[in-house]
Amino acid sequence: MGKTRYLPPLRRSLAAVSLLALLAGCQATPSDALHGTGDLGVVVERATGSLAVVDTSERRILERVEGLGDLSHASVKFSRDARYALVFGRDGGLTRVDLLTGEITHRVMQSGNSIGGAISQDGSLVAVANYEPGGVRIFDSATLAPVADIPATYRDEHGETVRSKVVGLVDAPQNRFVFSLFEAGEIRMIDMNGETPEVTRFPDIGDSPYDALIGPDGRYYIAGLFGEDGLALLDLWHPEAGVTRILPDYGRGEARLPVYKMPHLEGWAMAGDEAWLPAVGRHEVLVADTDDWSLVGRIPVHGQPVFVMSRPDERQVWVNFAHPDNDVVQVIDTETREVIRTLSPGEAVLHMEFTPKGEHAWVSARDSDRITVYDTRTFEVLAELDSESPSGIFFTDRAHRIGL
Amino acid sequence: MGKTRYLPPLRRSLAAVSLLALLAGCQATPSDALHGTGDLGVVVERATGSLAVVDTSERRILERVEGLGDLSHASVKFSRDARYALVFGRDGGLTRVDLLTGEITHRVMQSGNSIGGAISQDGSLVAVANYEPGGVRIFDSATLAPVADIPATYRDEHGETVRSKVVGLVDAPQNRFVFSLFEAGEIRMIDMNGETPEVTRFPDIGDSPYDALIGPDGRYYIAGLFGEDGLALLDLWHPEAGVTRILPDYGRGEARLPVYKMPHLEGWAMAGDEAWLPAVGRHEVLVADTDDWSLVGRIPVHGQPVFVMSRPDERQVWVNFAHPDNDVVQVIDTETREVIRTLSPGEAVLHMEFTPKGEHAWVSARDSDRITVYDTRTFEVLAELDSESPSGIFFTDRAHRIGL
């Protein structure tokens, strides 16, 4: 019943030491030490520069990993085997954490200031978006050895070659990365299939792209524009068609928010043929038809939305809000388009994450030092977990999803 | 840097035995023995009643697990933590296999003849669809302890209470299971949220439902009918609306195939607003609009399609075929709706599985005793793996997807 080619060194050595181990009181049976990684995740603890490793089946914190540097606005991706978290720190630190041992396996300070990253479709590469110096750096995802350095250079209005901040970096099918250049007003695509990275430029997409998203099928890349109305869309099935403007009224007539208060695009909920997105500067969630990008609904909500996230079965959309309305989460029924529940998970609700099949939602409340786990059917609180200044929550099923 | 609350017994004992272990030549470092489970999967080897445990990053067979009984037409689901495979054997055997150790942890003979199963949304329950005796049995997914036994009884045309074969069992959001009764012509839904299972019956859905599917968002349950044309659809957002008939021309004018040769519904590709499905008795793949279920395309292909599966980015659909055309796989571009490649993976191609982000496809060729791994961008053969009579291929990311 199953010759174990899988763990031969451990098995053999366990046989060899079993008597000694017994004498020493050793309980080291390998199957006790093993753990599936499908129900794990991490919560970023920004004040302490730590990660809480969590188990979504037991709904508890398994351990805490420290020494990750400045984790304000940090984000996390997972390795292809869902064992390692790649943590992108604001200070330019890139750290690889083993969820099974709680150890940092590799860490590099790869820039002065970075804003997130992505893992390639095949899992072999990790790319980081850097503000300072502006560009993308690409590393081997297992060793963090450098693979490529792609400065975000462009010519400014004086004809000088300068570097732009990079934002909105995502992975796309066919081992490509796509990102936007804030000062340059460009989208760029890197194809990693050849000997050297092949960069395609899409200039003049609009003023100051500040964030971007890619849809769940990896076809459409959409960048938000800080300096003007509407959004820039690139169809990755037809990059030759260039970038088009969608939702031209998005943001129109609104006073611009500070860039760090602009709604997150990552939070867009794509549900069926509809995209649910946060309005700019208004207490509204917008619904757009993704066939022609017309606006088909406006739903009044509690405050300025930040993240608008779809439960995996697309029956609910959960919304959190900007300061000073950030002590509330609202749940919208996607069929009736009505707010069906207002939850109070604590002060400064920063992020939400659904379990892979959507039965639970985990919500972080930074100023209450608390993570709350909700049953999404009954809205019952299933657990409250102590965590110092929790922000982003990321579960390992993201390893298997395009653009997450 | 990371107090390891995670593995305390092993860590403590390793510290205690480290000197002894060293003397004994022990290399038992726990991190070597650990393995993420996000890139694992299994291939059903029907002739030998075994499972090949595979690693999709290294593209190799890690080990072989034997003693699983009759695996003809067997299917597999994964535990919530992606560590355990639940194997549904044709002989009524239900087996729980630890992918990390290659051991069978639990095994029960739960009926005389079964046809697949499902794991509940929260991961706690496993349900099995039985032919003999007809019904659904539900077990604790960790221990295989019985939880509920739900016979598929109905009144036949003589007024006798008899049992029906159960087919098309799937998990649905809200911890429900949905299945069909072949002889009774019914769909039933079990709600597992209360103290006892609550069964809702949908009678008179049509003659002889033989298989079913649920869409990726868990909203629509669709049963294929062996005895008449069209398909039966239940909207799980509105079960009170009852079952409606869709695609009324589906199968019309075709001589019925033997039931075991009818196209698999599990194989439907849902891509955007379109469903791609195998025609009955014709060498065609059909395309339907999922808004109104009108037929919008017919694509001529090499033979009678069996599985029609969408690459995760929905740009390609891969198709295999019934005997005697079963030595070929065709790839259709979903945009142009043209066959762009015909592949020859071997004799008797039974199943295909995409890696989670779609960069590779694994294809089993039963009579060539071979699994072939393709790059889906270049169609290059990346690996050929020896496997005795391989059939179904299942990767662990299914643990995180509704209805898979």
Side-chain angles (χ1 to χ4, degrees):
Chain A
M1 185 190 297
K3 297 175 300 290
T4 302
R5 269 181 263 170
Y6 197 51
L7 301 172
L10 181 57
R11 282 294 178 90
R12 254 183 275 121
S13 59
L14 279 171
V17 301
S18 61
L19 184 61
L20 291 171
L22 208 65
L23 294 170
C26 177
Q27 302 300 317
T29 53
S31 65
D32 284 354
L34 301 177
H35 198 293
T37 54
D39 57 354
L40 301 183
V42 298
V43 179
V44 174
E45 299 177 315
R46 51 198 285 166
T48 47
S50 56
L51 281 191
V53 178
V54 301
D55 179 319
T56 67
S57 297
E58 299 188 9
R59 299 189 284 278
R60 67 185 184 91
I61 294 171
L62 295 173
E63 62 184 318
R64 199 153 263 121
V65 183
E66 289 164 355
L68 295 163
D70 178 0
L71 294 187
S72 52
H73 213 289
S75 70
V76 175
K77 304 286 172 183
F78 294 99
S79 62
R80 195 174 185 290
D81 62 0
R83 175 173 176 180
Y84 300 97
L86 280 297
V87 185
F88 308 93
R90 191 54 194 262
D91 54 5
L94 170 61
T95 314
R96 183 171 176 272
V97 173
D98 185 341
L99 301 181
L100 290 178
T101 65
E103 283 166 0
I104 291 174
T105 67
H106 300 79
R107 177 166 163 81
V108 292
M109 292 304 295
Q110 57 82 44
S111 79
N113 189 334
S114 72
I115 192 67
I119 289 187
S120 61
Q121 181 184 33
D122 69 2
S124 68
L125 301 170
V126 53
V128 192
N130 288 317
Y131 275 11
E132 184 50 49
V136 173
R137 294 195 68 191
I138 298 177
F139 303 87
D140 180 302
S141 66
T143 63
L144 303 193
V147 171
D149 187 352
I150 299 160
T153 49
Y154 73 105
R155 276 179 194 260
D156 69 9
E157 68 271 28
H158 311 296
E160 304 281 327
T161 297
V162 294
R163 290 171 82 139
S164 175
K165 291 192 194 74
V166 169
V167 300
L169 172 65
V170 302
D171 69 289
Q174 322 272 37
N175 259 14
R176 292 177 294 182
F177 294 110
V178 189
F179 55 96
S180 298
L181 280 63
F182 182 76
E183 291 86 356
E186 277 194 30
I187 292 172
R188 291 189 188 171
M189 180 171 75
I190 311 178
D191 185 320
M192 296 301 294
N193 290 301
E195 290 284 302
T196 54
E198 188 186 314
V199 181
T200 308
R201 295 175 59 168
F202 302 90
D204 304 321
I205 65 155
D207 189 5
S208 306
Y210 71 96
D211 194 11
L213 67 84
I214 190 165
D217 62 3
R219 176 167 182 178
Y220 296 110
Y221 178 84
I222 299 171
L225 301 172
F226 181 65
E228 58 187 290
D229 300 318
L231 298 144
L233 178 141
L234 176 63
D235 177 354
L236 296 174
W237 289 16
H238 294 290
E240 73 285 357
V243 173
T244 52
R245 190 67 58 89
I246 61 167
L247 287 169
D249 291 328
Y250 188 70
R252 192 177 303 273
E254 300 305 329
R256 287 283 141 181
L257 306 168
V259 72
Y260 63 89
K261 284 205 165 181
M262 289 289 281
H264 269 273
L265 293 188
E266 192 238 322
W268 279 33
M270 298 288 202
D273 313 341
E274 292 172 350
W276 293 62
L277 54 148
V280 179
R282 280 178 180 270
H283 293 190
E284 286 177 352
V285 167
L286 308 178
V287 186
D289 182 324
T290 55
D291 285 333
D292 60 4
W293 294 102
S294 59
L295 203 62
V296 295
R298 291 176 177 274
I299 299 156
V301 289
H302 170 79
Q304 161 68 49
V306 177
F307 283 104
V308 175
M309 303 183 82
S310 172
R311 198 173 70 174
D313 70 347
E314 303 180 352
R315 182 64 191 266
Q316 295 175 356
V317 159
W318 289 45
V319 188
N320 73 338
F321 302 97
H323 181 79
D325 300 313
N326 56 355
D327 57 346
V328 153
V329 167
Q330 288 193 311
V331 180
I332 302 171
D333 181 303
T334 55
E335 189 171 44
T336 63
R337 294 188 186 164
E338 279 171 10
V339 173
I340 56 170
R341 193 64 69 121
T342 299
L343 305 168
S344 300
E347 303 294 316
V349 174
L350 292 192
H351 203 222
M352 307 169 285
E353 179 89 333
F354 292 98
T355 51
K357 286 182 167 186
E359 74 277 19
H360 303 152
W362 289 47
V363 180
S364 61
R366 183 192 62 200
D367 295 351
S368 296
D369 295 319
R370 188 165 65 219
I371 303 156
T372 306
V373 182
Y374 290 95
D375 182 312
T376 64
R377 185 177 61 89
T378 62
F379 303 106
E380 184 190 348
V381 172
L382 300 176
E384 290 183 333
L385 309 176
D386 294 332
S387 170
E388 213 173 312
S389 299
S391 56
I393 308 175
F394 306 93
F395 295 156
T396 54
D397 66 293
R398 287 173 175 254
H400 312 305
R401 306 198 197 260
I402 295 165
L404 294 182
Chain B
M1 188 187 297
K3 298 175 298 289
T4 302
R5 269 180 263 170
Y6 197 51
L7 301 171
L10 180 57
R11 281 295 177 90
R12 253 184 275 120
S13 59
L14 279 171
V17 302
S18 60
L19 184 61
L20 291 170
L22 208 65
L23 293 170
C26 173
Q27 303 300 315
T29 53
S31 65
D32 285 353
L34 302 176
H35 198 293
T37 54
D39 56 355
L40 300 184
V42 297
V43 179
V44 173
E45 299 177 317
R46 53 198 287 165
T48 47
S50 56
L51 281 190
V53 178
V54 300
D55 179 320
T56 67
S57 297
E58 298 188 8
R59 299 190 283 279
R60 66 186 185 92
I61 294 171
L62 295 173
E63 62 184 317
R64 198 153 265 120
V65 183
E66 288 164 357
L68 294 162
D70 180 0
L71 294 187
S72 52
H73 212 288
S75 70
V76 175
K77 303 286 172 183
F78 294 99
S79 62
R80 195 176 185 288
D81 62 359
R83 174 174 175 178
Y84 299 97
L86 281 297
V87 185
F88 307 94
R90 190 54 194 261
D91 54 5
L94 170 62
T95 313
R96 182 173 178 272
V97 173
D98 185 340
L99 301 181
L100 290 178
T101 65
E103 283 165 0
I104 291 174
T105 67
H106 299 80
R107 176 166 163 82
V108 292
M109 291 302 295
Q110 57 82 44
S111 80
N113 189 333
S114 72
I115 190 69
I119 290 188
S120 61
Q121 181 185 32
D122 70 2
S124 68
L125 301 170
V126 54
V128 191
N130 288 318
Y131 275 11
E132 185 48 49
V136 172
R137 296 195 68 192
I138 298 177
F139 303 87
D140 181 302
S141 65
T143 63
L144 303 192
V147 171
D149 187 353
I150 299 160
T153 49
Y154 73 105
R155 274 180 196 261
D156 69 10
E157 68 272 28
H158 311 296
E160 303 282 328
T161 296
V162 294
R163 290 171 83 138
S164 175
K165 293 191 194 74
V166 170
V167 299
L169 171 65
V170 301
D171 70 291
Q174 322 273 35
N175 260 14
R176 293 178 294 182
F177 293 110
V178 189
F179 55 96
S180 297
L181 280 62
F182 181 75
E183 291 86 358
E186 278 193 27
I187 293 171
R188 291 189 189 172
M189 180 171 75
I190 311 177
D191 185 320
M192 295 300 295
N193 290 301
E195 289 284 301
T196 54
E198 189 186 313
V199 181
T200 307
R201 296 177 56 169
F202 302 89
D204 305 321
I205 64 154
D207 189 6
S208 305
Y210 71 96
D211 193 13
L213 67 86
I214 189 166
D217 62 2
R219 177 169 181 176
Y220 296 109
Y221 178 83
I222 299 171
L225 301 172
F226 181 66
E228 58 188 291
D229 301 318
L231 299 143
L233 178 140
L234 177 63
D235 178 354
L236 297 174
W237 290 15
H238 294 288
E240 73 285 357
V243 172
T244 52
R245 190 67 58 92
I246 59 167
L247 287 169
D249 291 328
Y250 188 70
R252 191 176 303 273
E254 301 304 329
R256 287 283 141 181
L257 307 169
V259 72
Y260 63 90
K261 283 204 168 183
M262 290 288 281
H264 268 273
L265 293 188
E266 192 238 323
W268 280 33
M270 298 287 201
D273 312 341
E274 292 172 349
W276 292 62
L277 55 146
V280 178
R282 280 178 180 271
H283 293 191
E284 286 177 351
V285 167
L286 308 178
V287 187
D289 181 326
T290 55
D291 286 333
D292 60 4
W293 293 102
S294 59
L295 202 62
V296 295
R298 291 177 177 272
I299 299 155
V301 288
H302 170 78
Q304 161 68 48
V306 177
F307 282 104
V308 175
M309 305 184 80
S310 172
R311 197 172 72 173
D313 70 347
E314 302 178 355
R315 182 64 192 265
Q316 293 175 357
V317 159
W318 288 45
V319 189
N320 72 337
F321 302 97
H323 181 81
D325 301 313
N326 56 355
D327 57 347
V328 152
V329 167
Q330 287 192 313
V331 181
I332 302 171
D333 181 304
T334 56
E335 190 172 43
T336 62
R337 293 187 186 163
E338 280 170 10
V339 173
I340 55 170
R341 194 62 70 120
T342 298
L343 305 168
S344 300
E347 303 295 317
V349 174
L350 292 191
H351 203 222
M352 306 169 286
E353 179 88 333
F354 292 99
T355 51
K357 287 183 166 185
E359 73 277 20
H360 304 152
W362 289 47
V363 180
S364 61
R366 184 192 62 201
D367 296 349
S368 296
D369 294 319
R370 186 165 66 219
I371 303 156
T372 305
V373 182
Y374 290 96
D375 181 313
T376 65
R377 184 177 62 88
T378 62
F379 304 106
E380 184 189 347
V381 173
L382 300 176
E384 290 183 333
L385 308 176
D386 293 333
S387 170
E388 212 173 314
S389 300
S391 58
I393 308 175
F394 306 92
F395 296 155
T396 56
D397 65 294
R398 288 175 174 252
H400 313 306
R401 306 198 197 260
I402 294 166
L404 294 182

